[in-house]
Structures are given as structure tokens and as C-alpha cells.
Amino acid sequence: MKKVLVLLLLMGISDVFSQGQQSAFKSGEWLKFRMHYGILNASYATLHVKNAKIDSIPVYHVVGHGETTGFASLFFKVDDTYESYFDKEDGKPYKFIRKINEGGYTKDVEINFDHDNDKAVLNDKKNNKKFNFDLQDSIQDLISAFYFLRNNYEPEDLIVGEAIDLKMLYDDDGIFNFKLKYLGKEIVNTKYGKVECLKFRPLVQSGRVFKEQESLSLWVSNDDNRIPIRIKADLAVGAIKADLDGYNGLKHQFKIIMD
């Protein structure tokens, strides 16, 4: 399940914020996801939005954390923490932190983004290595991408079968093109009731983890919050599912369909 939590923490997913556009989130927002691997309640993951400053610039500081619990942790121990500091006005990232332990596979990475000079420095603290990257337009890290895209698409502009594109940097593999294909609207049954969702399919790399390139599906609430409601992935071995299990501090009303 290595890197699956990475994607699940991310998912929910214009070069700049639309002038006068109302943000989909605010400081204090907290989301909790319950993940299942087969019949096992495999883990929980949370995302928490806070206020902070980077070089006196007001930024959002988001902390994402995921770990296995209960019986599943006996087979595969996961303890992952991701942090992102990004601009409150245009969503560009300033710092990204990735500390993970997935079944003994560990990483301790920090990326600092220098937008004035279009450079990024990745510090691999575990291996005592540094990597330099030339930045490209609309670059995002793994966490900031989620919040950037929540503020940068309108449901009425989405076309079934077409994809949202984004450039991303979060590891020494370098900058890559992330694609999120829109599949239409669906009603999802949740612990809170029925929720109208926009369904997406992130295009992921097939092989060791995922069965094929389009093995991951994502449902996002079709309201002003645009929060992930459900994620499903067919893995090379088994399947994993994540459902929204708790929330607090939403900026907008969470819309539930009343029968």
C-alpha cells in the first residue's frame, strides 16, 4: 500500500485564483477519512488547515496525517505526515514536508520553493542529499494541489471525459504532469446521508501498486466546499476504499440530499 496513502491524502483536487472568487475553505477546516483494505478497517487520515507565516507572508499551513490502526497495523504499519505552507492569495506553495514510515520504508523530505527565482530545493534529510529544480507555471506540491484545485474549477465548466492538468513536485523524481479526468455527477450514500458528487478519475502509474492507469476513482461534494467524499482504488493485490468520516470548520454548508 506504499504511496496509496500519498494519493488518498491528496485527492480532492487557471493559473491563478479568479478575482473575487470565494474560497472553498478557511483556516480551521478539519477532515477525517476512514480507510478500508478489503474487510479491514485499515487506517485513518486527517487534513487540518491552520494559519502561519513564511518570511512574514500570511500563508495556510495544512497538516495531513495518516496511519494504520487495529488489526491492519499488525501486517503493515503506516505512519505518514505531510505538511504544506501555501499562499493565501494565489495558492502557490512555499514549503512542503514529507515524513513517512510505510512498513519500514521511510522518507524525510523538505522542499523550499523560491518563486522569485523560479527554483526549488529538495532536501532529502534521510540520505543527506539536495536536488535543485527549475519551477514551471502552476507548480504545486502534494497537499497544496488539493486546495489549489478546490478554488480553481467551476462545475459548470467541467466536460465529461476531459481532464484537469496540473504540474506537481513532491519527491526527487522531479516535476510531473498530474491529470484528473471528469466522469460526471453521481449520488453517493454516506454516513451523513446522500450527497451529490462530482466523480473524477486521477490517471496514475500502473504496475506494482495499481492494477492499471485508471484504477483510482474520486467523488467530490458538488457544493461550495468541494471536499472528498469517497475514494476507491483497485490495487495490484486487493482494493482500498476511503470515506469521509468526520469534518469540522467547513466554510460553507455541507449539502445533504433530503428524501
Side-chain angles (χ1 to χ4, degrees), residues 56-120:
S56 75
I57 300 172
V59 297
Y60 287 117
H61 175 205
V62 174
V63 179
H65 182 70
E67 61 181 297
T68 48
T69 59
F71 192 63
S73 64
L74 299 177
F75 296 93
F76 194 86
K77 183 67 175 178
V78 171
D79 188 356
D80 293 353
T81 298
Y82 298 84
E83 299 182 56
S84 177
Y85 297 79
F86 56 91
D87 197 278
K88 287 189 172 185
E89 295 299 323
D90 59 15
K92 63 185 179 184
Y94 290 102
K95 180 186 290 188
F96 173 70
I97 297 169
R98 181 185 181 203
K99 295 182 179 181
I100 65 172
N101 187 338
E102 299 172 350
Y105 174 83
T106 63
K107 274 186 174 288
D108 186 358
V109 169
E110 179 177 310
I111 304 176
N112 288 284
F113 296 85
D114 180 356
H115 296 281
D116 290 336
N117 295 301
D118 293 325
K119 301 288 184 181

Side-chain angles (χ1 to χ4, degrees), residues 12-151:
I13 329 248
S14 263
D15 294 333
V16 296
F17 283 79
S18 300
Q19 295 298 317
Q21 179 177 324
Q22 188 176 27
S23 176
F25 59 90
K26 64 179 181 178
S27 178
E29 181 187 86
W30 176 85
L31 304 174
K32 179 182 179 182
F33 302 92
R34 183 180 183 182
M35 301 183 189
H36 302 267
Y37 181 69
I39 63 173
L40 298 177
N41 178 23
S43 62
Y44 288 93
T46 57
L47 288 168
H48 190 191
V49 183
K50 307 176 182 180
N51 288 319
K53 287 187 177 181
I54 295 286
D55 296 330
S56 75
I57 300 172
V59 297
Y60 287 117
H61 175 205
V62 174
V63 179
H65 182 70
E67 61 181 297
T68 48
T69 59
F71 192 63
S73 64
L74 299 177
F75 296 93
F76 194 86
K77 183 67 175 178
V78 171
D79 188 356
D80 293 353
T81 298
Y82 298 84
E83 299 182 56
S84 177
Y85 297 79
F86 56 91
D87 197 278
K88 287 189 172 185
E89 295 299 323
D90 59 15
K92 63 185 179 184
Y94 290 102
K95 180 186 290 188
F96 173 70
I97 297 169
R98 181 185 181 203
K99 295 182 179 181
I100 65 172
N101 187 338
E102 299 172 350
Y105 174 83
T106 63
K107 274 186 174 288
D108 186 358
V109 169
E110 179 177 310
I111 304 176
N112 288 284
F113 296 85
D114 180 356
H115 296 281
D116 290 336
N117 295 301
D118 293 325
K119 301 288 184 181
V121 177
L122 184 150
N123 184 4
D124 181 349
K125 297 181 179 181
K126 175 184 174 182
N127 297 305
N128 195 27
K129 295 181 179 179
K130 290 188 176 181
F131 302 85
N132 295 295
F133 298 96
D134 292 327
L135 294 185
Q136 304 174 25
D137 291 340
S138 299
I139 192 74
Q140 295 291 323
D141 64 47
L142 191 64
I143 298 297
S144 69
F146 166 41
Y147 296 90
F148 179 83
L149 285 174
R150 284 171 70 185
N151 275 340

